[in-house]
Amino acid sequence: MSELFVPNMNCANLILPYPEEIAKKTGSSGMIVSIREIYLLLARQVDDSDPQEAAALREIADYYPDIYRGELMERDSRGNWVGDANDWDELTDEEKIHRGNANAAIAALDWLRHQLEGAAYDYSTVEDVTRVRRELSAIAI
């Protein structure tokens, strides 16, 4: 690459070009990098040496959307990615089973949390409820 190349961007991604030799080998002309992830990476690098700068970099990162392979990704209140509701036909059988199992596990945990909220005020079960809550907190992602 003898000429200067400015990375393209769409306000959420940077598209960084590969040198011509690498592009010919890989068949790809560049790499997509999330602006948010760049700021989060910089924040992780200065976490130990300058926590205030790391906090400022994380605050800046919060202004940019989440990106996965160049596509905008939505997150729910727990920070989990929200999948596209219309992508069922595009999924493989394994992905469909995984999504079904994950949704069933979430539903079971939601039912268990509801039951725990109702049982918390009964003195005969308060120790068991506390133990289960602690175990759920330990496995929470």
Side-chain angles (χ1 to χ4, degrees), residues 76 78 80-81 99-113:
D76 62 12
R78 296 178 183 165
N80 299 318
W81 279 351
R99 184 177 291 176
N101 289 342
N103 289 339
I106 290 168
L109 286 175
D110 285 343
W111 176 83
L112 183 57
R113 284 192 183 109

Side-chain angles (χ1 to χ4, degrees), residues 64-121:
Y64 292 96
D66 283 328
I67 304 297
Y68 180 70
R69 294 184 182 173
E71 298 293 325
L72 294 175
M73 295 298 291
E74 294 182 35
R75 289 192 181 264
D76 62 12
S77 61
R78 296 178 183 165
N80 299 318
W81 279 351
V82 177
D84 183 7
N86 298 327
D87 69 343
W88 187 258
D89 293 335
E90 300 167 8
L91 298 177
T92 65
D93 288 339
E94 275 186 22
E95 291 171 328
K96 288 178 182 178
I97 291 170
H98 175 75
R99 184 177 291 176
N101 289 342
N103 289 339
I106 290 168
L109 286 175
D110 285 343
W111 176 83
L112 183 57
R113 284 192 183 109
H114 175 72
Q115 295 298 320
L116 287 173
E117 288 172 5
Y121 300 108

Side-chain angles (χ1 to χ4, degrees), residues 43-56:
R44 284 191 295 270
Q45 288 181 342
V46 297
D47 247 342
D48 295 332
S49 60
D50 192 354
Q52 290 179 336
E53 183 179 355

Side-chain angles (χ1 to χ4, degrees), residues 100-141:
N101 289 342
N103 289 339
I106 290 168
L109 286 175
D110 285 343
W111 176 83
L112 183 57
R113 284 192 183 109
H114 175 72
Q115 295 298 320
L116 287 173
E117 288 172 5
Y121 300 108
D122 185 6
Y123 286 113
S124 64
T125 60
V126 72
E127 290 178 10
D128 292 332
V129 169
T130 303
R131 181 180 52 78
V132 171
R133 281 185 175 171
R134 288 184 181 150
E135 292 297 324
L136 284 175
S137 295
I139 64 171
I141 296 176

